[in-house]
Amino acid sequence: MNILDKIHETAVSKSERMAIKSEQESLTYGELDAASDRLAVWMKQNDPEGTTPVIVYGHKNPYMIVCFLACVKAGRAYCPQDISIPESRVRDTIESVHPSLIFAVEGEVSVVASEHAGRIVTLHKIREIVQTENGSYDRSWQVSPEDVFYIIFTSGSTGKPKGVQITTDCLNHYLDWSVNLGSTSKEKEGAHFMNQAPFSFDLSVMDLYTSLASGGTLYTMTKEMQGDYAKMFAFFAESGLHIWVSTPSFADMCLSDKKFSKELLPELRVFLFCGEVLTTATAENLRARFPDAKIINTYGPTESTVAVSDVEITDGLLADTVAGGKSLPVGSAKPGTWLEIWDENGNSVAEGTQGEIVIIGDTVSVGYYGREDLTKKSFLTCERGGKNWRAYKTGDAGYLIDGQLYYNGRIDLQVKLHGYRIEIEDIENNMVRLPQIDHAVVIPNVKEGKVYSLTAFVTGTKGGQSDHEFAKGIKEGLKQFLPSYMIPKKVRYLDTIPMNNHGKADRKYLGGLVS
Ligand code: AMP
């Protein structure tokens, strides 16, 4: 599959079909293809020497997609940044990328204005370019298979996000598989896909590009709609969705309203889940409310291009899993991928034995942008089937039975909270940037393998404040460094942090205080 060719083919054969529909406006395949060609021409003329990735800042505007495609058509990688990311984190990213060009589609331009960045192009100018540019587009400019297509930044334990680089080849191999998830690519033609995740999360790649690769229409749901049940349910009623893509947490939130059922979404055929544990309770609830829709659980980190395994949660599998008091599997490997379980010496363990999940194959990232040190720690090369492949040590714990992968938590301090990937040290390192805090230890509140909230234990200067005032001040202060989902729900002041025998914070003891 070549995603750019696919989009172009649909633009030629079904030019009037909607590619993206948002609250504000919609773009057909013909418009999307032509607009991205024109913007690519403009990029070639106005930033001819530019080689850096291009930052695309905004929320759910269809013109973000025009910018993504224009970048790769002009041979440049793009890096999406959602407007909900705090300014200081956007600035960290800009500082590490040094973009010669930024497309500021939505949000405050002042957030992306930086001495480390070149020209900023706003939506007004982008519209002008796509209406007036008349140079002709040259396909030879587009990214080659080994070039980086996009960079998605994710929580990093140092306190600064790290950029995962996904090549054109990785994306195309991923799409060869994802277009057939839950239904064939032919059946997906013209289907309505739901976009829930912001484009700065790799889950959005599952809906955006699977939809574009199969000639579907992407329905984007804004953050504002997601924060208002009436608006969200109006979106469901109007969209006529066929394919649902979200984290299980988002589906759980929708399930809390009785209206979320087949009557609301009569055309829904497939639930595609990724990113966190799908519990049997969520799956049972969905089976009852949407008896005709398939539920597909997929697994994978951003570093392996969204997902690398899938399993359909049939009634039989669900009943057996519940009866056995077990967890649902996360699936078997997609073609072109090997899923292995290694011990700490890098040896494969016996079937059914727990170890670290290692992903080897054709969708593994080339590493973290500008971070050779971090890349070396987690990525390696492995020979399989007579060829060398990139491999990624996930840090996930799991085991394999009959080719089915089971996920069983992490071997480090990364967590998933409401579907968001968070390095606990990322929060701790940002907490100590506040002058009131000397030492911070963040503890997840875990029930049945799922994280429900975070509690921070801190030492420092309370300055005569009550516990409540102190915690409120800390949470307020953290907003400048961290997105809201990373801010601990509770902040507890301690005179000292308890230490274990190794002289490290006693996370086990503190865990006992939050459960
Ligand atoms: P992200 O890079 O945000 O997609 O997060 C990747 C991490 O999410 C993985 O390393 C796992 O820890 C977790 N994850 C992804 N898919 C699943 C799944 N189906 N079940 C449980 N955890 C998952």
Side-chain angles (χ1 to χ4, degrees):
M1 146 108 51
N2 176 328
I3 182 63
L4 295 179
D5 286 353
K6 273 274 173 197
I7 296 169
H8 183 64
E9 275 164 36
T10 311
V12 170
S13 62
K14 304 267 174 354
S15 143
E16 294 304 310
R17 180 180 288 167
M18 282 301 163
I20 300 144
K21 259 176 120 52
S22 81
E23 205 181 15
Q24 309 96 335
E25 64 186 301
S26 305
L27 290 177
T28 63
Y29 273 87
E31 288 166 339
L32 177 66
D33 200 40
S36 50
D37 277 0
R38 292 190 193 127
L39 192 55
V41 172
W42 180 89
M43 286 175 72
K44 279 299 206 188
Q45 287 167 355
N46 289 273
D47 191 22
E49 306 298 322
T51 53
T52 62
V54 177
I55 302 271
V56 182
Y57 185 64
H59 182 46
K60 296 278 176 132
N61 193 300
Y63 273 85
M64 285 185 85
I65 321 296
V66 171
C67 295
F68 298 167
L69 296 181
C71 291
V72 289
K73 284 180 173 186
R76 307 275 293 272
Y78 69 85
C79 170
Q81 291 284 288
D82 191 77
I83 59 170
S84 61
I85 303 170
E87 182 166 341
S88 72
R89 270 173 109 78
V90 174
R91 288 182 173 281
D92 284 343
T93 299
I94 291 175
E95 206 171 311
S96 68
V97 170
H98 279 269
S100 62
L101 197 59
I102 294 181
F103 289 120
V105 180
E106 286 168 300
E108 297 293 326
V109 175
S110 60
V111 172
V112 289
S114 159
E115 56 183 302
H116 302 287
R119 184 165 181 178
I120 298 175
V121 184
T122 61
L123 181 58
H124 178 74
K125 177 72 183 166
I126 295 168
R127 284 186 198 279
E128 187 191 302
I129 294 166
V130 302
Q131 275 157 22
T132 56
E133 179 55 59
N134 55 13
S136 61
Y137 174 64
D138 180 345
R139 281 178 46 117
S140 71
W141 298 336
Q142 73 182 37
V143 281
S144 67
E146 317 75 51
D147 287 343
V148 176
F149 195 96
Y150 66 76
I151 301 177
I152 283 190
F153 275 77
T154 183
S155 176
S157 55
T158 55
K160 293 198 176 188
K162 55 189 181 198
V164 181
Q165 306 178 88
I166 297 299
T167 65
T168 312
D169 242 357
C170 285
L171 178 63
N172 287 333
H173 287 307
Y174 163 76
L175 291 171
D176 282 333
W177 168 74
S178 77
V179 291
N180 288 307
L181 279 175
S183 56
T184 64
S185 60
K186 198 136 195 59
E187 287 163 345
K188 287 194 179 77
E189 247 222 90
H192 298 186
F193 283 70
M194 179 177 81
N195 162 259
Q196 176 252 322
F199 297 120
S200 48
F201 289 98
D202 89 323
L203 182 61
S204 67
V205 171
M206 187 179 267
D207 46 74
L208 169 61
Y209 286 110
T210 310
S211 177
L212 291 179
S214 43
T217 303
L218 188 74
Y219 282 72
T220 62
M221 201 194 320
T222 59
K223 202 172 156 52
E224 194 207 338
M225 290 177 187
Q226 292 174 34
D228 178 332
Y229 267 55
K231 284 193 181 153
M232 189 162 75
F233 279 71
F235 166 87
F236 291 145
E238 285 157 24
S239 59
L241 293 178
H242 300 109
I243 316 266
W244 175 283
V245 179
S246 82
T247 57
S249 289
F250 184 76
D252 273 338
M253 189 182 91
C254 297
L255 282 164
S256 67
D257 191 310
K258 291 242 155 33
K259 287 198 295 298
F260 187 67
S261 65
K262 189 184 163 187
E263 284 63 45
L264 179 70
L265 290 165
E267 305 293 328
L268 198 69
R269 297 179 211 143
V270 183
F271 283 98
L272 291 179
F273 289 120
C274 191
E276 60 173 350
V277 173
L278 173 65
T279 63
T280 51
T282 305
E284 281 182 311
N285 234 330
L286 288 169
R287 297 276 345 123
R289 304 258 195 110
F290 296 89
D292 307 325
K294 283 186 184 170
I295 302 174
I296 311 288
N297 192 15
T298 73
Y299 157 86
T302 306
E303 286 84 343
S304 65
T305 318
V306 193
V308 284
S309 69
D310 71 299
V311 57
E312 182 180 347
I313 311 299
T314 59
D315 289 333
L317 173 60
L318 190 52
D320 285 352
T321 308
V322 173
K326 294 182 291 188
S327 309
L328 288 167
V330 295
S332 54
K334 70 165 193 57
T337 292
W338 288 263
L339 290 174
E340 298 185 359
I341 306 293
W342 289 8
D343 64 17
E344 55 275 17
N345 301 317
N347 299 315
S348 281
V349 300
E351 163 129 346
T353 307
Q354 181 157 305
E356 182 176 11
I357 301 172
V358 179
I359 300 170
I360 305 162
D362 60 9
T363 56
V364 173
S365 154
V366 287
Y368 301 112
Y369 185 82
R371 293 303 305 263
E372 251 333 286
D373 52 338
L374 294 179
T375 303
K376 274 201 186 118
K377 270 192 196 159
S378 303
F379 292 88
L380 59 159
T381 307
C382 290
E383 202 215 288
R384 294 290 178 275
K387 235 181 117 178
N388 278 335
W389 300 94
R390 285 191 299 273
Y392 174 62
K393 293 168 72 192
T394 61
D396 288 331
Y399 54 93
L400 282 161
I401 296 177
D402 288 337
Q404 280 292 320
L405 181 66
Y406 289 81
Y407 168 86
N408 198 14
R410 294 282 306 174
I411 59 173
D412 59 11
L413 295 179
Q414 184 182 298
V415 294
K416 270 294 171 102
L417 175 62
H418 309 312
Y420 295 108
R421 169 170 163 178
I422 302 170
E423 299 279 355
I424 289 293
E425 298 105 313
D426 192 354
I427 305 178
E428 292 170 351
N429 284 325
N430 276 291
M431 288 193 87
V432 294
R433 289 169 78 180
L434 296 173
Q436 312 92 301
I437 295 185
D438 292 336
H439 192 173
V441 180
V442 175
I443 303 290
N445 184 358
V446 188
K447 280 192 202 108
E448 290 164 26
K450 210 171 162 159
V451 176
Y452 285 89
S453 62
L454 301 172
T455 300
F457 293 91
V458 301
T459 64
T461 316
K462 212 168 152 196
Q465 287 176 307
S466 69
D467 286 346
H468 177 73
E469 282 167 348
F470 178 72
K472 205 171 150 202
I474 298 297
K475 291 204 263 184
E476 200 49 44
L478 277 178
K479 284 186 189 163
Q480 59 189 305
F481 306 129
L482 296 174
S484 55
Y485 62 83
M486 287 176 77
I487 297 177
K489 189 169 169 197
K490 289 189 186 153
V491 178
R492 285 171 63 175
Y493 179 84
L494 298 178
D495 288 330
T496 52
I497 297 283
M499 295 289 166
N500 62 20
N501 294 339
H502 305 286
K504 290 185 174 172
D506 194 341
R507 293 181 188 269
K508 207 165 166 195
Y509 171 79
L510 291 171
L513 301 182
V514 301
S515 52

